[in-house]
Amino acid sequence: MIFRNIFLKLVIGTCFLRTLSTAASIPRGRSIVYRKRDFGTQVSTKTKPSVRSLTSSEVHSVRKRDDEKWFKQLEVFWIDYDPTRRWEWCKGYGQPVFGKDLTSKLIERVSFSEKGSNNKGIFVLQTDYTVGSGENVRTYPKQTVIAKLINHRLEARAACEVWALNHFGLLIEAGRITAEVDDTFGVIVMHKQSGKPLHDVEEWNTAPVDQKRAVVQDLRVQVQDLIYRWIQKKGVVHADFDPDNVLVDIARNKETNAIRLEHFAIVDFGSPGVWLRRKVPSEQTFVS
């Protein structure tokens, strides 16, 4: 299945093992179709709310060149996808989800990242974020919230991301914000996910090759297992294999100096990443 090939090429070959002699030296275990969550669903030995959606320009250029191949991976019997519609086939496409004015709630924001061609920037907040009113009011600590501004021309597609985040319980709210000389953009407010892309983690970058391989193999197996559980229980599959879309925390043993994967999260639910499944494939079909 192309899922595996794209994931290994972009996540393993392009980023995770850029310091290794060759990606082919990684132990080949099970393939991967991965699981995701709001800006990430989190799997961890510790509990932390969060989310994050970043896409490297390097990978975006790869995706554009391989656009036909990328969409081809979706043409399997168990994914609800129509190749004649492509972008418009995702759940929630074109829904009116950006009508609420959130400008006053997002004035004190700080740029977090400008990566990604599908947005106008990702921001963290300088104040806590409150939704609802009266007995239904809820306040989210500022360090657990992230806001993503949406390009005008992509709002119909971005509605799919709002649906996906809400489906996984990761959406705080969506609306509009006035910024940049009275221009107005859609905005998605979500939980901020902890961790960094593996290639940005110092503990991994400075570890011996054999320890890097072990961490990558552990990550591949866990991500694959999570995605399959999502297909079974959540009814969706995430197919956006981008190196920056898998965030990790790496722990180092002070006595042995060995590293291990402590936590990981799959992030960025933007279109065309998340699709409904028609049926649950067998595990053999999934990994083949």
Side-chain angles (χ1 to χ4, degrees), residues 43 222 224-235:
V43 169
Q222 289 198 48
Q224 176 182 280
D225 288 346
L226 179 59
I227 295 171
Y228 191 60
R229 291 201 304 273
W230 276 19
I231 292 170
Q232 291 176 306
K233 299 179 180 180
K234 294 291 186 179

Side-chain angles (χ1 to χ4, degrees), residues 100-113:
K100 187 177 181 180
D101 188 352
L102 303 179
T103 303
S104 62
K105 301 173 71 171
L106 295 168
I107 291 177
E108 296 187 54
R109 64 184 188 278
V110 178
S111 179
F112 179 63
S113 173

Side-chain angles (χ1 to χ4, degrees), residues 42-78:
Q42 172 171 297
V43 169
S44 175
T45 55
K46 46 192 180 184
T47 56
K48 290 183 179 178
S50 37
V51 93
R52 169 181 174 184
S53 168
L54 301 179
T55 305
S56 72
S57 58
E58 175 185 15
V59 173
H60 255 295
S61 64
V62 172
R63 181 183 302 158
K64 289 175 181 177
R65 288 195 300 269
D66 293 331
D67 208 39
E68 291 298 322
K69 186 176 181 179
W70 192 93
F71 277 103
K72 192 70 176 178
Q73 70 177 327
L74 302 173
E75 296 180 27
V76 293
F77 72 92
W78 52 275

